[in-house]
Amino acid sequence: MTEAALRDTIDELDRRVIAALQLNGRAPWSAVARWVGASETTAQRRYTALRERGLLRVSGTLELDRTREGSSMMVRVQARPGRGLEAAARFSESPDVRFVAVVTGSADLIVDFVARDNEEMMRMLFTDLPATDLITSTEAVPVIRSFTSAAMWDTGLLPPAAAAELRPASSARDRPDRDRAPQALTPLEQEIAAALREDGRTQVSVLARHMNRAESSVARAMDRLISRGVLQFRTLVEPSLLGFDAEFMVWLSIEPGQLDAAGRQLAKHPGTKFLGATTGRFNLIGHMVLPRRADLHPYTSEVIGSLPGLIASDVTLHLATMKYSWYRMDRPV
């Protein structure tokens, strides 16, 4: 089914439900219903139908720069001619890979590896790199700081007041403790995070029963994770379903003294889903969406061109997302 045909299979109420859950994947149905203009039963039924069709998934995710659970390495991959999709499938199968996109431009694939330490990252990139027979070159770009993440993205389909009510205060971009040293998770917190990765809307009572833990202990641990901004909830959905037909990544070289200012400025753009500071020839990279591909022209000149300290820029346009936030997009929910 084409993207246009797939988009026609959902209606505006579906999109409002998705938009509300994008603001907070664990928002109570009473609050979702208030902002989408439907009853709680209808809002929940629409969510269930979208999930059963494989169009939507709520996933609990850890903000890596606030924990000691690992670090991200974005890798630009050049594939052998005609082997890009096969290579993408191989990367998607790796448990070390969080994100895989097939793109066009100066790279063929974008792959996000997550490793706990340097030794593990060396193993992933040099010893156990998937699809080595299908690729010709790689360029690794370590992410060292996040300016904004996909969990903080606002689709703009609901009024600003919806974000003020639905979104937890812990998700604010400029928290006072933003640069506090990462904290290690307790075994219980790790167990909760792993369970919520599979289904971010799992009830505390269900989690406690599956873990054979006291419900009060699980509730307190989850509250700690959320209040510290460590655990956030992402609603995984194809951007085209929400009217965003251009999905792409920007790779920017910024003067070091202007990096923070450029990052804060670009993070505020409504099309920015993720933005991180990195090292290498690109020191600022972002995952973006726009309504149309034609919008890339004014975006490049007006948004990217206005960034302070800009030296050079590159754009890789997404053709398909194979894996997102650890979830294989080609598999049923």
Side-chain angles (χ1 to χ4, degrees):
M1 185 180 292
T2 66
E3 290 184 355
L6 185 62
R7 187 162 57 239
D8 290 341
T9 66
I10 69 172
D11 60 19
E12 287 306 309
L13 178 55
D14 291 325
R15 293 185 181 91
R16 291 197 297 273
V17 170
I18 295 170
L21 293 175
Q22 175 62 45
L23 292 171
N24 182 355
R26 282 188 72 86
W29 289 118
S30 57
V32 172
R34 187 161 53 251
W35 286 107
V36 305
S39 68
E40 291 184 41
T41 301
T42 298
Q44 188 169 5
R45 187 171 62 246
R46 291 298 186 102
Y47 160 77
T48 301
L50 289 166
R51 194 178 193 280
E52 289 177 348
R53 293 169 60 194
L55 300 179
L56 174 70
R57 182 186 185 94
V58 175
S59 176
T61 61
L62 294 174
E63 292 296 296
L64 294 178
D65 56 0
R66 299 187 186 187
T67 75
R68 295 178 183 170
E69 295 300 300
S71 58
S72 168
M73 182 79 72
M74 302 294 290
V75 181
R76 293 158 56 97
V77 177
Q78 293 283 358
R80 295 187 181 279
R83 309 300 294 275
L85 289 177
E86 187 180 352
R90 291 250 206 108
F91 279 111
S92 298
E93 292 168 358
S94 171
D96 301 323
V97 169
R98 180 170 57 171
F99 171 87
V100 180
V102 180
V103 301
T104 185
S106 56
D108 297 320
L109 308 174
I110 306 300
V111 182
D112 180 16
F113 286 89
V114 174
R116 288 184 175 273
D117 51 37
N118 288 342
E119 183 177 349
E120 191 171 83
M121 186 62 74
M122 285 192 296
R123 173 187 63 77
M124 293 178 189
L125 296 179
F126 301 115
T127 305
D128 299 334
L129 183 69
T132 53
D133 57 320
L134 303 176
I135 61 179
T136 59
S137 66
T138 62
E139 179 181 6
V141 182
V143 178
I144 57 175
R145 189 246 171 98
S146 168
F147 285 99
T148 190
S149 69
M152 290 185 273
W153 181 56
D154 185 345
T155 64
L157 298 177
L158 296 176
E165 178 182 338
L166 294 174
R167 180 156 283 166
S170 60
S171 65
R173 289 192 185 102
D174 298 317
R175 288 167 52 98
D177 60 352
R178 187 72 181 86
D179 294 317
R180 188 174 65 182
Q183 294 179 284
L185 301 187
T186 67
L188 175 57
E189 290 172 339
Q190 290 176 331
E191 197 174 352
I192 290 170
L196 291 173
R197 181 196 290 183
E198 295 302 314
D199 182 358
R201 291 197 65 87
T202 303
Q203 295 179 358
V204 173
S205 59
V206 175
L207 285 176
R209 186 166 62 250
H210 287 170
M211 296 177 186
N212 197 25
R213 302 267 194 166
E215 186 173 334
S216 58
S217 298
V218 173
R220 285 195 300 270
M222 187 188 302
D223 287 343
R224 286 196 304 269
L225 288 171
I226 295 172
S227 64
R228 286 170 16 214
V230 170
L231 178 64
Q232 299 188 351
F233 298 92
R234 298 180 180 177
T235 299
L236 310 183
V237 64
E238 289 288 347
S240 60
L241 289 176
L242 301 176
F244 299 97
D245 289 333
E247 185 177 10
F248 58 100
M249 290 193 70
V250 294
W251 307 80
L252 308 174
S253 178
I254 306 288
E255 293 176 6
Q258 297 288 342
L259 181 58
D260 192 64
R264 290 177 182 275
Q265 180 174 316
L266 190 54
K268 294 176 181 178
H269 188 275
T272 301
K273 294 188 69 177
F274 161 79
L275 189 69
T278 61
T279 63
R281 67 183 175 113
F282 302 110
N283 57 1
L284 187 65
I285 64 173
H287 182 181
M288 318 298 194
V289 292
L290 291 171
R292 304 173 305 153
R293 288 190 178 184
D295 295 327
L296 272 166
H297 177 66
Y299 178 90
T300 302
S301 59
E302 298 168 13
V303 177
I304 300 301
S306 68
L307 293 175
L310 179 67
I311 300 171
S313 66
D314 185 32
V315 172
T316 52
L317 187 65
H318 286 214
L319 300 177
T321 301
M322 309 290 285
K323 191 175 188 180
Y324 184 59
S325 196
W326 304 106
Y327 171 60
R328 287 278 298 276
M329 302 299 285
D330 58 342
R331 289 181 177 172
V333 175

